[in-house]
Amino acid sequence: MLDYLKTLPQYFLPQHLLSRLMYAFTRCRVRVWKDAQIRWFIRHYQVDMSIAQEPDARRYPDFNSFFTRALAASARPLVNEPGAILCPVDGTVSQIGDISAGRIFQAKGHEYSLVQLLGSSPRRAAPFENGRYATLYLSPKDYHRIHMPLAGRLREMVYVPGRLFSVNACTTRVVPRVFARNERVVCIFDTEAGPMAIVMVGALFVASMETVWAGAVTPPFGRSIVTWDYSGDSEPLELARGAELGRFNMGSTVIVLFGARHTAWNPALTPDATVRMGQLLGRIV
């Protein structure tokens, strides 16, 4: 009951307006203001600046630059095993497992449709039927860049408009189909393990999502599904294993999808497990 009471106000909030305000707030370059906000954030969330590529917090031009800061090259070593699938982000495992009958488990009593997650396209969802999914939650204190679990060639990117509910544990326990209702960006790659989808799910105060090839996909916040088809490009975009794919300008969730029979998740990873970018998420089988 407490979860429902905490979540109820989100249904009535002007979610997109608040995210636009957050977008402006996090890009304010008034030195006194942005330095105070960064100092508070570091202290409140106990951010370890020693692993940042730029450890001096005063040198970031605005809060968003600090929030999406790069890490030192040695901070996140990539697991070096044959067939290893890398974890794409720092965060917490929300759920991990198999896609069953076109449904993905969200939390006790809640699941959602693979087709809806991928923009209401049965064609897009078909390669992932009976495959694998991993839902990874990024809290405000986490590193907010997203990296490639495997080397891949970009086939398609899809922007799916939607709500902006929070995606914390409390909300995912009580808001039905939250990942298939929130705004999201779907990136589909061809890899040695077959098709791979990386779904960047927006959330309340996630003011912008961007990819390395397209820049900021949001804002603006659209009302229609938009698709970019890269399959016919004469110079296809290929990203290396561990390369940066995109970033959240504020925190959210990443969902990783693979097709059937080609992958197995790391059995040590269970819900609520802490993960780091570059560690073992699974293996090609």
Side-chain angles (χ1 to χ4, degrees), residues 4-267:
Y4 283 99
L5 292 175
K6 287 180 178 179
T7 304
L8 183 62
Q10 293 187 44
Y11 284 90
F12 307 103
L13 290 174
Q15 296 172 342
H16 289 86
L17 174 60
L18 290 173
S19 291
R20 289 188 183 97
L21 293 174
M22 181 62 74
Y23 184 91
F25 167 81
T26 56
R27 285 157 180 77
C28 175
R29 296 199 170 195
V30 176
R31 178 172 293 277
V32 174
W33 174 255
K34 64 95 176 175
D35 284 351
Q37 297 306 310
I38 292 172
R39 285 196 304 270
W40 176 88
F41 192 92
I42 291 172
R43 183 172 61 253
H44 182 75
Y45 289 106
Q46 299 181 331
V47 177
D48 182 3
M49 292 301 293
S50 69
I51 62 172
Q53 191 177 87
E54 174 50 76
D56 186 351
R58 296 169 299 180
R59 301 195 61 167
Y60 292 95
D62 53 42
F63 183 86
N64 187 67
S65 299
F66 155 75
F67 191 83
T68 59
R69 63 197 175 278
L71 299 184
S74 60
R76 294 291 182 266
L78 308 182
V79 64
N80 189 19
E81 297 178 13
I85 300 170
L86 305 181
C87 183
V89 295
D90 283 12
T92 303
V93 176
S94 176
Q95 298 293 338
I96 189 167
D98 297 337
I99 301 167
S100 178
R103 310 291 293 179
I104 298 175
F105 183 71
Q106 175 178 305
K108 185 177 180 179
H110 295 289
E111 57 183 24
Y112 56 94
S113 161
L114 171 67
V115 171
Q116 289 181 339
L117 177 69
L118 299 182
S120 300
S121 169
R123 172 197 62 79
R124 195 174 297 124
F128 302 101
E129 289 285 349
N130 302 313
R132 310 273 187 266
Y133 76 94
T135 306
L136 309 171
Y137 169 68
L138 289 72
S139 72
K141 67 180 180 181
D142 288 318
Y143 170 60
H144 277 81
R145 299 192 183 195
I146 305 158
H147 295 254
M148 292 288 286
L150 292 172
R153 175 179 293 185
L154 180 64
R155 183 200 306 170
E156 187 177 23
M157 180 173 77
V158 185
Y159 165 75
V160 186
R163 300 292 301 272
L164 289 173
F165 289 102
S166 170
V167 289
N168 60 24
C170 171
T171 306
T172 57
R173 285 193 294 264
V174 298
V175 176
R177 302 178 292 102
V178 64
F179 300 123
R181 296 171 71 176
N182 273 16
E183 179 181 66
R184 53 206 178 275
V185 176
V186 179
C187 306
I188 299 180
F189 295 86
D190 292 318
T191 76
E192 61 179 309
M196 175 182 75
I198 304 292
V199 184
M200 303 167 62
V201 182
L204 188 64
F205 297 131
V206 178
S208 176
M209 292 182 284
E210 62 183 78
T211 64
V212 296
W213 59 87
V217 182
T218 63
F221 304 106
R223 295 180 177 271
S224 303
I225 294 174
V226 181
T227 301
W228 294 263
D229 184 355
Y230 301 95
S231 60
D233 288 3
S234 58
E235 296 184 8
L237 177 68
E238 297 188 6
L239 294 177
R241 176 177 178 268
E244 184 183 344
L245 177 157
R247 63 187 68 171
F248 287 116
N249 299 309
M250 298 304 285
S252 193
T253 288
V254 167
I255 302 172
V256 183
L257 305 176
F258 282 102
R261 299 185 300 278
H262 298 299
T263 58
W265 295 132
N266 179 354

